[in-house]
Amino acid sequence: MPRSRSPLRSAALALAAAPLVMTLAACGGSDSANSGDSEGKRAAGGTERVVQTAFGEVKIDGTPKKIVTLSDVSLDTALSLGITPVGTSAARGAEGAPAYLSDRAADIPLVATVREPNTEAILKAEPDLILTGPDLEKSQYETLSAIAPTIVPAAGDWRSSLDTYGEALGKADELDKKIDALVERAGEAGDGAKGTGVVMRWMPGGPIVMNAANMPTAMLEKAGLSPLPIAKDLGKQPHSDPLSLENLTKADADHVFIATLNAEGDEALEAARSEKAFTRMKAVEAGRDHGVDGQVWSSSNGPIAMEKVITDIEKALGK
């Protein structure tokens, strides 16, 4: 059942709609006015384009100047293209942007939590484009799209959301070149490596295996490490259920990349290192268990995160 719209959201829609009505009225005066407006759009740096999203087609005119990003990936993508958003969302389990982006995003105002956009703050930012994650609710989309064109990527592989953001920002070619270069670098990172690789996130309740369709495992595969069945058979699930230490054999790869998100996770990992079941894993016995940043390896797939993942792979595989 759809959520009922809160008074704040209704007010936001009214506030957002008022300038739109005024704009339409101003543009309806004459053909010459419309012609002048079109010339202005061309001069602003682009033509109208249509972006396919989870909620249908979204039309964008020219090159957006004031962007709001409401996910780690959209923030990462914008920053990688030299665009500083006018607003962004806090990362999962954090009070600000993802730590790996903190040096670039420290001065960007927060206009959303992980779960809920702050409509009033977004209105104040006056964006001309909003980029969200793929899990935005329809009711939230309706509110945001009344403020500015809102891009919600459709479900797909790790690269599809990046392609959608690139189109929306009018920088598809630039982003493609950047990603292609990183994929090529990942292919060289293994330096002839063979075997299997798995990405695990270590939680207090037990380790979970990340889906092989995620960017880090895709980069490991490019580097020569094949994913395990437990990671390949997850379908649309982002990760497996927690594994007991007794069931770690399901994740017993030649290389294990262990991601933690917080201090509790670090403590759990240290505790695991004292468990026989953990130390008997072939990767651990061979010294091929690698601790990595969980925000980068399990929560993002933008170009900046990609570069960090590939750097970690190069280090782990000895290049």
Side-chain angles (χ1 to χ4, degrees):
M1 176 180 297
R3 291 184 178 181
S4 59
R5 185 167 290 143
S6 68
L8 177 57
R9 285 181 175 164
S10 296
L13 284 170
L15 286 169
L20 178 62
V21 171
M22 293 174 64
T23 300
L24 290 173
C27 292
S30 69
D31 291 341
S32 59
N34 291 334
S35 175
D37 183 59
S38 296
E39 290 175 3
K41 288 176 182 176
R42 286 196 294 272
T47 58
E48 182 181 83
R49 58 194 177 281
V50 176
V51 181
Q52 301 294 331
T53 76
F55 294 119
E57 296 180 346
V58 175
K59 293 182 179 180
I60 300 175
D61 290 326
T63 302
K65 301 296 183 184
K66 300 178 72 176
I67 319 297
V68 162
T69 57
L70 300 182
S71 70
D72 292 359
V73 180
S74 58
L75 173 61
D76 183 315
T77 304
L79 290 172
S80 75
L81 293 169
I83 299 168
T84 301
V86 296
T88 194
S89 58
R92 181 178 56 187
E95 296 182 356
Y100 81 96
L101 296 174
S102 60
D103 58 334
R104 307 189 194 201
D107 296 328
I108 300 175
L110 291 177
V111 296
T113 64
V114 174
R115 296 185 178 275
E116 187 76 21
N118 183 330
T119 309
E120 189 172 341
I122 294 172
L123 277 167
K124 185 177 180 180
E126 299 181 338
D128 51 18
L129 181 67
I130 300 172
L131 305 178
T132 82
D135 54 353
L136 189 77
E137 295 181 10
K138 181 68 179 293
S139 60
Q140 293 173 332
Y141 170 76
E142 291 172 347
T143 301
L144 294 174
S145 60
I147 299 172
T150 299
I151 303 299
V152 184
D157 63 17
W158 66 268
R159 185 164 179 169
S160 63
S161 61
L162 304 184
D163 292 337
T164 301
Y165 296 144
E167 289 181 42
L169 293 167
K171 292 179 175 287
D173 290 343
E174 181 180 346
L175 184 59
D176 278 344
K177 291 177 182 177
K178 188 179 292 289
I179 296 172
D180 288 345
L182 287 168
V183 171
E184 182 177 351
R185 178 179 160 189
E188 299 170 351
D191 198 21
K194 295 181 180 179
T196 55
V198 69
V199 181
M200 302 166 59
R201 192 165 77 214
W202 207 270
M203 310 293 285
I208 56 179
V209 174
M210 305 309 295
N211 195 312
N214 292 351
M215 179 271 291
T217 305
M219 295 303 101
L220 287 175
E221 193 165 10
K222 288 288 183 182
L225 300 180
S226 302
L228 294 176
I230 188 174
K232 292 176 66 176
D233 297 339
L234 288 172
K236 294 183 179 180
Q237 292 178 253
H239 53 72
S240 71
D241 293 330
L243 297 172
S244 66
L245 290 177
E246 291 75 17
N247 287 327
L248 277 178
T249 53
K250 295 181 179 180
D252 198 6
D254 295 304
H255 285 267
V256 177
F257 293 81
I258 306 166
T260 58
L261 288 174
N262 48 43
E264 290 78 12
D266 292 337
E267 291 170 4
L269 177 55
E270 287 305 311
R273 293 186 188 280
S274 66
E275 295 282 348
K276 289 184 178 180
F278 183 82
T279 58
R280 287 173 180 165
M281 293 179 70
K282 58 187 177 186
V284 178
E285 288 181 333
R288 296 193 295 262
D289 55 320
H290 316 286
V292 292
D293 184 340
Q295 280 191 327
V296 175
W297 276 74
S298 65
S299 296
S300 189
N301 63 357
I304 298 172
M306 284 181 68
E307 186 168 10
K308 291 182 178 295
V309 165
I310 294 167
T311 298
D312 286 340
I313 294 172
E314 290 170 340
K315 180 180 178 180
L317 300 185
K319 184 172 180 181

